[in-house]
Amino acid sequence: MGRTKTAADAQSAVAGKGDLPSADALAAMRAWSEGLSARDAVHRYLGRTKPDGQSSRALLSATRQQLIAAAARRRRPDLQGVFESTSRGSFAQSGLSLNLMEAVDDLMASPVPAPRLIDDVALWFSTRTTASLHAQKIRTLGELTLRVPRRKMWWVGIAGLGAHGAAKVTSFFAEHPELTEQARALVGPDVRSEIRPWERVKLPAELDGSLGRFRAPVNTCALNARNDYEAVSAWLERHESPATQRAYRKEAERLLLWAIVERGKPMSSLAAEDATAYRAFLRRPTPHMRWVGPSRSRNSPEWRPFTGGLAPRSMAYALTVLNSLFRWLAEQRYVTTNPFAGLKVQGGAQDGPLDPERSFTEGEWGLVRVIADGLEWSYGWDKAAAVRLRFLLDFSYSTGLRNSEFVGATLRQIVEGDDGSHWLAVVGKGSKRGRVALPPMAMSALDRYLVARGLPITPSRWRPDTPVVGRVAVDEQGMISTTRLWAICRRFFRLAANVVDETSPSLAAKLRGASPHWMRHTHASHALHRGAELTTVRDNLRHASIATTSTYLHGDDEKRAKQLGDAFPAT
């Protein structure tokens, strides 16, 4: 009994030069469209090449599919529409057979354009190869060249592809080396240097969004932006706060890189399904070596967009920012849709914008300070670095400053009230001006730190532009960045975690997850616990709502626990 004939057999039987059907196959199709039966048309023109057992209709269908694919590959949707509407009835009416052959002639005269990274693999590979690649979520040539490892037997993990199909793919890329070069315009040959920060990204024309799938008509767009990078830059420039710009740039940067490297498409081509996939990616960025690394300068070759997977609340924040970005782009008529609209994160909701649990108890903070006091002689820290670290802890703990306010402060901003109190003038969130009280602990810590830096402690002798937090290096006049502040504190918290790991594993776990912002939370919790009024703490933290500050009140919880404990004692 003979082997069952397949669609691949039919495609092979009608194949001609290049990607077009043979002249005999085209003649059979014309005869059929003019009224000859499928059997007679195939017998007349394909009788010598028709495989035994293959139906005539299958051969005509294979011819039509080749014409459709060839038109799509040549980016001729007008011709593709003609071939897709081909049917016995349509071409038997009104002389449409003439339109068919005119379309075939037009198609044969159209050159095959160079493949693009944004092209669907279906345009360049067989139906079987395409199905295997699509099953692995490899839909574009960009995804294929980035996700398929360049090593022997790379195709083993792609079910249904096989050695023959893999050879076709390899041969295709060998014939079009420019595709690999374009893909590497963003990523280097070394997987550890693939990802570049926003300011150094250079996008290939195929992936810059100038031809994005969801781009609105250019003549209706309210932006001068020619591509996705310029559009996002315009959005970032609308935010005057440097801290806000940095925070928003980080989220836009991550998405743009992910879209190109992992999805092989421009950011303006992302669909709702892509946004859902990005949410899962935020939880666990993979491949790990490509996306995750220790905190490094943006100029470092070891810089990576992530230091680890995001917690639910961080994921929710990222999606909120991206939703805002795409909503604005849609309002400017740069794109037609917002793929992040309505996308939620389980566990991402919170009662207030701050989390009081991310703080230290009185006992925990006391132990942290004891460790900080012994950095030079017990843990080998440089003296200047140890002095600065202790100042960072004490000043931020006693004032509750935000990180950006802290590192951007100069001595000019410190003023004395008529009653002898001291204040730090700041510009906070939303460019709102405010004053933060500097209690005696803060002023004492500042005096010690200024003496250690060789600077006067008398305000009248201060240089106004001297940063409150200086560098340890020779250039003491320079400010440190929020990134550097984060790295300094994280280094100390990791050290402290190792010190207390055996005696207090719970505190060690907290320390390993701590950041400089925890001092602000700790400041609020301790101030309220020690009797400061709720409105006082609200004003010093510059919360818009007292409900936010109320999240730091633990007294009601303690009272509730005590009363229920009295009601239900141990038996």
Side-chain angles (χ1 to χ4, degrees):
M1 184 175 180
R3 180 176 64 89
T4 302
K5 301 303 178 182
T6 66
D9 295 321
Q11 292 283 352
S12 178
V14 300
K17 185 178 180 180
D19 62 344
L20 294 170
S22 66
D24 289 341
L26 291 174
M29 188 166 191
R30 178 172 185 171
W32 169 77
S33 67
E34 291 177 339
L36 202 62
S37 69
R39 180 177 180 179
D40 289 343
V42 169
H43 178 74
R44 178 178 298 180
Y45 295 103
L46 292 170
R48 291 177 299 175
T49 58
K50 177 179 176 294
D52 292 338
Q54 184 70 266
S55 74
S56 298
R57 289 188 177 276
L59 293 178
L60 292 176
S61 176
T63 302
R64 185 166 72 100
Q65 292 302 322
Q66 283 196 14
L67 290 172
I68 292 171
R73 194 171 296 122
R74 287 161 176 75
R75 297 163 199 153
R76 293 293 305 270
D78 53 334
L79 302 181
Q80 187 176 347
V82 172
F83 300 136
E84 287 177 344
S85 65
T86 301
S87 69
R88 174 70 177 272
S90 65
F91 287 101
Q93 302 171 15
S94 305
L96 285 180
S97 61
L98 181 61
N99 289 345
L100 169 65
M101 298 320 296
E102 286 179 346
V104 170
D105 290 342
D106 197 356
L107 179 67
M108 295 178 70
S110 300
V112 179
R116 303 176 300 176
L117 292 176
I118 60 174
D119 286 347
D120 194 302
V121 293
L123 294 180
W124 301 99
F125 300 113
S126 68
T127 303
R128 179 176 177 179
T129 297
T130 296
S132 298
L133 295 175
H134 281 183
Q136 296 295 317
K137 301 188 184 302
I138 300 174
R139 297 191 171 277
T140 67
L141 293 180
E143 290 177 331
L144 184 56
T145 191
L146 289 168
R147 293 179 59 179
V148 173
R150 302 301 181 197
R151 64 173 188 271
K152 292 182 179 180
M153 305 290 286
W154 60 264
W155 46 270
V156 171
I158 303 179
L161 183 57
H164 180 71
K168 292 284 188 181
V169 172
T170 303
S171 176
F172 174 82
F173 280 106
E175 293 173 5
H176 301 284
E178 70 278 5
L179 289 173
T180 303
E181 294 304 317
Q182 290 168 5
R184 288 176 178 172
L186 176 68
V187 297
D190 181 355
V191 74
R192 289 295 293 176
S193 60
E194 288 182 348
I195 305 300
R196 299 177 182 179
W198 178 262
E199 58 274 16
R200 294 198 293 126
V201 167
K202 296 180 180 179
L203 303 181
E206 294 81 2
L207 295 172
D208 67 2
S210 55
L211 298 174
R213 176 184 174 189
F214 297 112
R215 282 291 304 271
V218 175
N219 60 350
T220 68
C221 182
L223 298 176
N224 293 323
R226 296 166 298 178
N227 53 51
D228 294 348
Y229 188 94
E230 293 179 3
V232 175
S233 296
W235 175 69
L236 292 173
E237 289 170 2
R238 294 179 65 85
H239 302 88
E240 293 186 335
S241 167
T244 301
Q245 278 196 6
R246 285 193 299 271
Y248 287 6
R249 180 192 63 190
K250 177 173 68 175
E251 303 305 337
E253 173 182 70
R254 287 171 169 175
L255 177 67
L256 181 137
L257 292 172
W258 176 83
I260 294 169
V261 175
E262 299 299 335
R263 306 299 270 192
K265 61 177 67 174
M267 193 181 74
S268 54
S269 291
L270 294 178
E273 293 85 353
D274 295 310
T276 303
Y278 184 68
R279 178 179 61 185
F281 172 79
L282 290 176
R283 185 174 286 110
R284 187 182 179 187
T286 54
H288 187 275
M289 181 172 286
R290 175 181 293 165
W291 293 101
V292 180
S295 178
R296 292 289 185 269
S297 164
R298 295 176 66 83
N299 295 323
S300 170
E302 295 184 350
W303 175 88
R304 293 292 175 270
F306 297 88
T307 57
L310 301 189
R313 290 184 180 178
S314 297
M315 290 172 59
Y317 171 78
L319 298 183
T320 298
V321 172
L322 297 176
N323 182 32
S324 175
L325 165 61
F326 273 90
R327 184 170 62 247
W328 184 81
L329 292 177
E331 290 171 353
Q332 306 308 310
R333 298 185 295 281
Y334 179 81
V335 294
T336 59
T337 186
N338 177 4
F340 289 90
L343 192 61
K344 304 295 183 182
V345 177
Q346 186 175 7
Q350 52 184 353
D351 295 333
L354 299 176
D355 183 359
E357 297 305 318
R358 295 168 66 183
S359 62
F360 299 107
T361 66
E362 296 269 5
E364 291 170 343
W365 182 250
L367 182 54
V368 167
R369 279 301 284 109
V370 168
I371 296 172
D373 284 336
L375 287 176
E376 301 97 315
W377 51 85
S378 297
Y379 308 107
W381 277 44
D382 175 77
K383 182 176 180 180
V387 169
R388 182 177 63 179
L389 186 281
R390 287 191 285 271
F391 169 69
L392 293 175
L393 294 179
D394 291 341
F395 199 81
S396 58
Y397 167 68
S398 58
T399 60
L401 284 167
R402 296 185 176 95
N403 297 338
S404 59
E405 298 165 349
F406 193 8
V407 300
T410 63
L411 295 181
R412 176 189 287 111
Q413 295 169 235
I414 297 177
V415 296
E416 185 174 357
D418 295 336
D419 58 354
S421 59
H422 292 88
W423 302 83
L424 180 70
V426 297
V427 178
K429 280 187 175 181
S431 300
K432 294 181 180 178
R433 297 185 177 275
R435 296 199 311 167
V436 175
L438 300 180
M441 176 185 288
M443 292 305 299
S444 177
L446 178 62
D447 288 346
R448 291 194 302 271
Y449 184 46
L450 291 175
V451 169
R453 295 165 65 186
L455 300 174
I457 63 174
T458 304
S460 60
R461 297 178 59 197
W462 285 348
R463 286 186 54 179
D465 60 348
T466 300
V468 172
V469 184
R471 298 179 181 176
V472 172
V474 176
D475 182 11
E476 282 293 335
Q477 297 304 313
M479 293 181 176
I480 68 171
S481 64
T482 53
T483 301
R484 182 60 182 152
L485 172 67
W486 190 90
I488 292 168
C489 292
R490 287 286 291 164
R491 176 193 175 196
F492 168 70
F493 288 143
R494 284 196 296 267
L495 167 68
N498 293 334
V499 172
V500 304
D501 201 13
E502 291 188 6
T503 57
S504 182
S506 59
L507 174 57
K510 290 182 69 173
L511 285 164
R512 291 191 176 98
S515 70
H517 200 67
W518 281 41
M519 265 84 83
R520 180 173 169 86
H521 299 327
T522 303
H523 162 88
S525 295
H526 290 191
L528 292 170
H529 187 263
R530 293 170 184 174
E533 294 182 2
L534 191 61
T535 53
T536 298
V537 177
R538 177 202 61 189
D539 293 343
N540 211 52
L541 294 179
R542 286 147 293 122
H543 285 159
S545 169
I546 201 167
T548 302
T549 317
S550 299
T551 60
Y552 293 105
L553 285 171
H554 304 296
D556 290 343
D557 289 343
E558 294 169 359
K559 179 179 179 181
R560 175 155 52 110
K562 183 179 184 305
Q563 290 182 355
L564 289 174
D566 292 341
F568 301 97
T571 57

